[in-house]
Amino acid sequence: MTDQFIAVSLAKRNVHCRAKLLVERAPLTCAAIWNALPLAGDVYHAKYARNEIYALFPPFAETEPPLENPTVTPIPGDLCYFAFAGTELGTKAYGYDREVRAGTTVVDLALFYERNNLLLNGDVGWVPGIVWGQVVEGLEEMAEACNDLWRSGAAGETLSFRRA
């Protein structure tokens, strides 16, 4: 099988990195994401996990992928998939500018850009993610942009994923 790659971008900051899909470790998740590309949405910087940026999407897989290749300690360059019930993200503490409510599912596609991440949320406990990709080019530039996003703000910035 041929390796599959995607480009992950912060549009406003004009920064891109290239990631390899981990098809052998997370085949169902990779297939769901690959078939849904391109995807883009408002970017958020994590409050709990530390060095993470992510975008939220409506569910796009025919069936929700199982927890394959899970982690609670993502490393720099990991791309992770999370699915949340709306009630898990429905409080104002998360800072979303759109309604996330009971009866909905939200998919979170995340990029971890630095070390010392721990997927422990004070509201729900451990939050394992599916590691479905690994950045292979451009992580240093992306990490600089993510740090700027943390300090300068995420308003008006878009995180996108597309085939490369």
Side-chain angles (χ1 to χ4, degrees):
M1 178 174 201
T2 305
D3 289 337
Q4 294 174 302
F5 294 90
I6 64 165
V8 181
S9 304
L10 289 170
K12 187 173 156 184
R13 287 168 173 78
N14 195 29
V15 177
H16 317 277
C17 60
R18 186 170 187 235
K20 178 183 175 190
L21 271 63
L22 302 177
V23 175
E24 65 285 349
R25 294 184 183 181
L28 299 173
T29 306
C30 288
I33 293 168
W34 186 258
N35 291 333
L37 295 176
L39 293 166
D42 292 342
V43 68
Y44 297 92
H45 195 288
K47 290 173 85 172
Y48 296 107
R50 196 159 183 193
N51 301 299
E52 171 195 3
I53 62 167
Y54 61 97
L56 300 175
F57 303 97
F60 48 77
E62 285 186 32
T63 58
E64 194 58 42
L67 189 59
E68 49 187 6
N69 199 32
T71 190
V72 292
T73 56
I75 62 172
D78 275 354
L79 297 175
C80 289
Y81 176 106
F82 304 89
F84 296 104
T87 54
E88 292 176 289
L89 302 177
T91 69
K92 297 276 187 201
Y94 292 96
Y96 300 124
D97 56 0
R98 65 182 194 187
E99 189 175 341
V100 181
R101 62 187 186 291
T104 63
T105 299
V106 177
V107 172
D108 169 333
L109 295 184
L111 165 67
F112 291 84
Y113 63 88
E114 187 50 82
R115 298 177 46 154
N116 300 320
N117 303 295
L118 186 61
L119 301 179
L120 180 60
N121 180 304
D123 294 337
V124 297
W126 294 104
V127 183
I130 299 169
V131 182
W132 58 272
Q134 180 65 47
V135 174
V136 294
E137 294 173 19
L139 182 58
E140 187 174 323
E141 296 83 1
M142 183 60 79
E144 287 178 25
C146 292
N147 276 314
D148 179 64
L149 187 120
W150 171 250
R151 295 186 47 83
S152 301
E157 182 62 90
T158 301
L159 178 62
S160 67
F161 303 85
R162 63 175 174 78
R163 294 178 185 186

